[in-house]
Amino acid sequence: MMRFFKHPLFLSVLLLTVLYVVFAYVLNPPVPASLLIQYMVICTVSVLLVVTFDNKMAAQFFAPLVSLFGSPKMLLPRIAAFAAVVGGVGYLTYGMVKPSVTSPLELRTVHPAPPSSLRAYGKTYDLLKLQNPYREQFDENSEEYAAIVAEGAELYYKNCMYCHGDTLDGEGHFAKTFNPRPINFQDVGMIAQLQESFLFWRITKGGPGLPREGTPWASAMPVWEEMLEEDEVWKIISFLYDYTGFEPRSWELGEKSADAVEPAPVDPNAELTEEQIDAVYMKRCSQCHGVDGDGLGVAADRMYPKPRDFTLGLFKYKTTNSDSEFPTDDDLRNSIMNGLTGTAMPAWKDLLSDAEVDGLIEKIKVLGYWDDVEPDELGPIEMGAMPAPTPEMLALGQKTFESICADCHGLKGRGNITSGKRLADDAGNRIWPRNLTHPESWRVTLDAQDVFQRLSVGIPSSPMPEHTTALDIETRWATANYVMTLRDNAVPVSKGESVIKAIRVDGDLPTDPADPLWDTAPAMTFNMGPNIIKEPRLFTTLTEFVTVRALYNDTDITMRVDVDDRTYSVPGSELEQAYAIEGVEATRDAIAVQIPAALSGTNEKPYFRQGDKKNPVNMWVWTAPSVDPAADESAVIMDATGLDKAPKPRADSSALSAKGQWADGQWQVVFSRPLETGAAEDLKFSEGVYTPIAFAAWDGVNGEKGIQNSFTTWYWILLEPTENPTKIMGISIAAALLAGFLFLIIAWRARKRFSQQ
């Protein structure tokens, strides 16, 4: 038996099996099928080169195979092997010739080589010699350098945290919009391995300044040279290294001073002094919540929702009953450790120790003047027994929701206020009800039990009331379970999938958003984020998701683009007046589809925000109607060559048609265009060809116009090829027969060799 396990053939098969498992199931992100095949071919060839290094080893390796093909004693195994080869080749061939919907493989260099020199701010910099002027001028332990870092922190939180995050981990609240995702500065493999001159280049020139090896994904990094001064860039760089504790890479090896003292190890569980707690708060919390805990940090003005004002002693998410004014320590700990989804509040569990979290909880209590509240004064919510959701219970929940909750959350749960109320928090900030159809935007609420808690105690400091006096426990459970079903009104956000599959249909394509034919088209939902990458920037938006379906026939393609929009902005209409924001001049809602004017033939794409001079894009722009001034809905093709120049409307946009309807907090717009328009500046859609596609939306109530909008980065649309079963099966059967014929030839020759022995 040991001879079998030591045999070269067994070891080779075992090695290739392990490699396949690693490539196919262990590596993350997963290796695409086409690349997996290449890897396995290379590994197989490498194994064969090793085992055929000399004649003796080759003879030992192939001996079992020769016996299998030629020995009279191996007839039954030979028949089984023949069936396996024929069936396996046929199956693999079928999988290869069957039309695929896997998106094209795209590779990019994360840290491309910088140029030797850089032109910025009207000057030329030698990047090989460029140094941080503040690090050269001041000692890193000096008060002057600390002041520079503090200024850099303020600049970071006003400009960078929306993508790179409050904790600098690349998980800002708009980060999920972008591909590639923002850099994680906390990763030891990132800025710790880079020189400060590299960061200066990347910050000043942004995504558009990347060399070719940084494509095809267009980085969303802004060209900060346009918005920040040179000294401000260096201050931010100084802050990044100070906050993460990394040292920038240098060509020169630094020598430790003879007087240098290694810092004493810190016990993460040791109780902190008041000064240490204050230092943690200032470093981690003050930029949003303010130095005095009043919610007026340097980043607060550009945030929605606003940071918590600790001095009010009001907290939105708690497990204590409505008679208990304050949350428990565990409630605060949960918010600190796990963050609040959909807001700028990050999860601190990877950066703060238990002792630091405990210290911050006590500081929050002191800031709100409730540090003397005893735990026994905080009563838990009376939950009762959680019932199973029966049809009768869901019917009761729906009736209750429609009579009590729909005034704010809308009948479909998308957060479109139907009562005409203008909701505001206790500080007077305008707020909007939660979109209950998309759990991706829920804060700390995950299941029916959490919804029950929100119903029972409300959300303090917001208009969400407690319902213990109006609803009994049974009705609250019924409503909570019904709220969970509202997710069925939305398509979940795509997790890694990037291909919109356009399905071929016979006959006419639908032009009405309500046409039942749309139910046959696979739907894809993507995150949208506001324009925070070029002035005039937009920091708050309510259009967070876009859902797309596509159909085509012999001549045309049509897409239905759904955008959740709580506010109906048709200027002059009653609903627009009801939703109007004080001090904001409403514009018309609009939705756009963007595609390249032509495919490059390579992985290179236009810049995802309105293209670039080298790679123009077409924008199909639908605009909602208006009552005052009177205007019908419109559909216009625009040609764009970048953000520095407004897109140019076509003189003739007759090739495009679009029809939209708004209902229950959602726009549904159907775009239609011929597959081929005949215009040189228009892309021709073809079956089986992956075409980059992106989307944008303008929320008129928010006054959005021009480049102030929400958008996605590039995804793909594929006109799913029509399968030809005869061709596919014919090729598969032919490959299987050929494999069987070759098997028989080899077996015949091996059998002759055995008969001659």
Side-chain angles (χ1 to χ4, degrees):
M1 181 62 70
M2 290 302 298
R3 291 177 60 189
F4 173 77
F5 289 122
K6 291 182 179 180
H7 196 279
L9 179 60
F10 173 80
L11 294 176
S12 299
V13 172
L14 178 63
L15 174 61
L16 292 174
T17 301
V18 171
L19 288 173
Y20 176 81
V21 171
V22 171
F23 293 149
Y25 301 106
V26 177
L27 292 183
N28 189 28
V31 176
S34 58
L35 193 59
L36 175 61
I37 293 172
Q38 295 179 37
Y39 284 178
M40 291 309 301
V41 168
I42 293 172
C43 292
T44 302
V45 171
S46 301
V47 168
L48 290 175
L49 288 174
V50 171
V51 298
T52 58
F53 181 73
D54 57 51
N55 291 336
K56 182 179 179 181
M57 182 179 292
Q60 184 183 6
F61 177 83
F62 288 111
L65 297 176
V66 173
S67 177
L68 173 66
F69 280 106
S71 174
K73 299 179 180 180
M74 300 293 286
L75 178 61
L76 291 179
R78 187 155 54 247
I79 293 173
F82 175 80
V85 168
V86 171
V89 169
Y91 176 78
L92 291 174
T93 304
Y94 177 82
M96 294 174 65
V97 299
K98 183 180 179 181
S100 171
V101 293
T102 304
S103 59
L105 176 65
E106 297 183 302
L107 300 175
R108 65 183 286 268
T109 303
V110 177
H111 295 311
S116 58
S117 63
L118 170 68
R119 183 72 181 173
Y121 299 110
K123 296 184 288 185
T124 300
Y125 301 86
D126 184 345
L127 291 184
L128 298 177
K129 300 179 180 179
L130 185 62
Q131 300 292 327
N132 184 339
Y134 296 116
R135 199 179 296 277
E136 289 187 320
Q137 185 177 357
F138 303 114
D139 183 273
E140 292 181 35
N141 297 315
S142 66
E143 292 183 1
E144 292 86 353
Y145 191 77
I148 294 298
V149 169
E151 291 180 44
E154 182 171 341
L155 289 164
Y156 175 89
Y157 285 101
K158 283 184 174 180
N159 296 283
C160 315
M161 68 167 291
Y162 310 96
C163 298
H164 293 286
D166 199 339
T167 63
L168 281 67
D169 61 355
E171 296 293 337
H173 48 296
F174 296 137
K176 55 186 175 292
T177 304
F178 303 113
N179 181 17
R181 296 292 288 268
I183 288 295
N184 175 6
F185 295 123
Q186 297 286 359
D187 185 347
V188 70
M190 290 299 176
I191 62 172
Q193 306 301 319
L194 302 173
Q195 294 179 284
E196 288 180 294
S197 59
F198 184 99
L199 268 66
F200 183 81
W201 165 58
R202 289 293 295 111
I203 293 173
T204 54
K205 293 303 180 183
L210 279 170
R212 185 176 179 82
E213 61 267 26
T215 59
W217 291 319
S219 165
M221 183 70 172
V223 182
W224 286 109
E225 178 189 12
E226 300 173 350
M227 294 178 278
L228 294 175
E229 299 297 331
E230 178 183 359
D231 65 310
E232 293 177 322
V233 173
W234 285 119
K235 289 174 181 177
I236 291 175
I237 293 173
S238 300
F239 163 73
L240 294 178
Y241 283 101
D242 180 85
Y243 192 94
T244 58
F246 296 136
E247 288 291 331
R249 189 174 182 179
S250 173
W251 292 114
E252 300 178 2
L253 295 176
E255 297 183 2
K256 286 189 176 181
S257 168
D259 300 327
V261 179
E262 291 290 338
V266 178
D267 181 0
N269 298 314
E271 186 174 345
L272 303 181
T273 65
E274 185 175 340
E275 289 76 13
Q276 288 174 319
I277 295 171
D278 288 344
V280 173
Y281 178 86
M282 289 299 296
K283 180 174 183 178
R284 308 294 191 186
C285 315
S286 64
Q287 291 83 4
C288 297
H289 294 287
V291 173
D292 300 319
D294 53 9
L296 298 178
V298 295
D301 284 347
R302 293 175 173 177
M303 287 184 179
Y304 176 81
K306 297 296 183 184
R308 178 69 31 229
D309 180 351
F310 296 135
T311 65
L312 297 178
L314 294 173
F315 299 89
K316 289 185 173 182
Y317 307 107
K318 65 192 188 81
T319 58
T320 56
N321 59 39
S322 55
D323 293 329
S324 301
E325 186 176 357
F326 304 109
T328 65
D329 286 3
D330 284 342
D331 292 334
L332 294 177
R333 183 174 290 105
N334 180 58
S335 294
I336 294 172
M337 297 291 277
N338 298 314
L340 300 177
T341 304
T343 78
M345 178 65 181
W348 290 100
K349 56 188 175 185
D350 294 330
L351 286 183
L352 296 179
S353 67
D354 290 343
E356 289 174 323
V357 173
D358 291 341
L360 289 175
I361 290 172
E362 292 306 312
K363 183 172 180 64
I364 289 170
K365 292 180 179 180
V366 170
L367 290 170
Y369 305 99
W370 58 286
D371 50 310
D372 57 348
V373 174
E374 298 296 331
D376 57 8
E377 298 179 46
L378 305 174
I381 298 170
E382 184 182 354
M383 303 288 292
M386 181 177 177
T390 63
E392 295 77 17
M393 172 177 285
L394 292 177
L396 172 61
Q398 180 176 2
K399 180 180 178 181
T400 306
F401 182 89
E402 291 177 354
S403 63
I404 293 180
C405 311
D407 280 355
C408 293
H409 290 284
L411 285 173
K412 298 293 186 181
R414 296 194 183 100
N416 54 297
I417 305 169
T418 60
S419 64
K421 296 179 181 177
R422 296 181 181 234
L423 304 181
D425 62 18
D426 285 1
N429 300 308
R430 184 78 176 270
I431 61 174
W432 306 88
R434 181 68 43 242
N435 182 344
L436 301 176
T437 69
H438 274 291
E440 297 89 354
S441 66
W442 292 16
R443 306 306 187 223
V444 299
T445 305
L446 301 175
D447 51 31
Q449 183 172 332
D450 294 332
V451 177
F452 180 91
Q453 292 176 350
R454 302 291 88 77
L455 288 167
S456 299
V457 300
I459 300 181
S461 82
S462 84
M464 175 69 181
E466 60 89 12
H467 291 82
T468 55
T469 56
L471 305 176
D472 58 26
I473 287 181
E474 179 185 1
T475 307
R476 273 178 277 150
W477 274 119
T479 308
N481 280 297
Y482 175 72
V483 166
M484 297 299 291
T485 69
L486 293 173
R487 301 180 181 194
D488 298 336
N489 294 329
V491 178
V493 172
S494 168
K495 302 297 184 183
E497 293 293 328
S498 59
V499 180
I500 303 162
K501 291 182 286 185
I503 303 300
R504 185 184 181 92
V505 298
D506 296 323
D508 296 334
L509 296 172
T511 57
D512 189 336
D515 194 305
L517 194 57
W518 289 113
D519 295 334
T520 66
M524 296 287 287
T525 297
F526 307 114
N527 289 110
M528 303 186 81
N531 168 39
I532 52 175
I533 61 179
K534 188 175 180 66
E535 296 289 4
R537 289 185 284 174
L538 178 68
F539 294 93
T540 60
T541 181
L542 296 177
T543 49
E544 303 170 280
F545 308 100
V546 58
T547 301
V548 188
R549 298 168 175 84
L551 299 168
Y552 77 101
N553 60 16
D554 290 334
T555 58
D556 299 289
I557 182 171
T558 184
M559 303 178 205
R560 198 185 89 185
V561 181
D562 303 346
V563 174
D564 286 357
D565 186 349
R566 295 172 174 85
T567 59
Y568 179 77
S569 186
V570 172
S573 68
E574 290 185 10
L575 272 178
E576 183 271 320
Q577 294 298 315
Y579 293 133
I581 300 174
E582 184 178 355
V584 175
E585 182 179 352
T587 56
R588 295 158 67 183
D589 284 338
I591 295 174
V593 175
Q594 175 179 281
I595 58 174
L599 297 180
S600 64
T602 68
N603 280 339
E604 187 176 3
K605 303 175 191 160
Y607 186 58
F608 68 91
R609 292 302 320 273
Q610 299 184 186
D612 52 71
K613 292 181 180 178
K614 180 181 176 183
N615 302 291
V617 298
N618 300 156
M619 297 175 64
W620 307 349
V621 182
W622 168 88
T623 305
S626 175
V627 174
D628 185 16
D632 295 328
E633 66 178 343
S634 63
V636 178
I637 300 176
M638 294 187 176
D639 299 308
T641 55
L643 290 172
D644 293 326
K645 188 176 181 181
K648 185 178 179 181
R650 292 267 182 94
D652 180 9
S653 295
S654 58
L656 176 71
S657 63
K659 178 181 180 181
Q661 73 176 25
W662 186 91
D664 296 317
Q666 185 183 71
W667 277 111
Q668 294 182 341
V669 180
V670 174
F671 292 90
S672 301
R673 202 210 78 171
L675 297 175
E676 184 175 8
T677 66
E681 60 270 30
D682 282 346
L683 177 80
K684 175 186 176 182
F685 286 96
S686 301
E687 283 190 359
V689 176
Y690 290 88
T691 301
I693 190 168
F695 305 92
W698 289 259
D699 181 3
V701 165
N702 202 33
E704 297 174 15
K705 58 184 178 180
I707 64 172
Q708 284 188 312
N709 59 5
S710 295
F711 61 90
T712 72
T713 53
W714 287 118
Y715 292 96
W716 300 98
I717 186 168
L718 172 71
L719 275 60
E720 197 167 40
T722 305
E723 292 188 11
N724 186 334
T726 303
K727 179 180 178 181
I728 295 174
M729 293 305 298
I731 294 175
S732 302
I733 292 173
L737 292 176
L738 177 61
F741 177 73
L742 294 175
F743 186 99
L744 293 175
I745 292 294
I746 295 172
W748 175 71
R749 297 190 62 179
R751 185 74 184 88
K752 284 186 62 177
R753 180 178 299 179
F754 263 83
S755 64
Q756 294 171 359
Q757 293 178 352

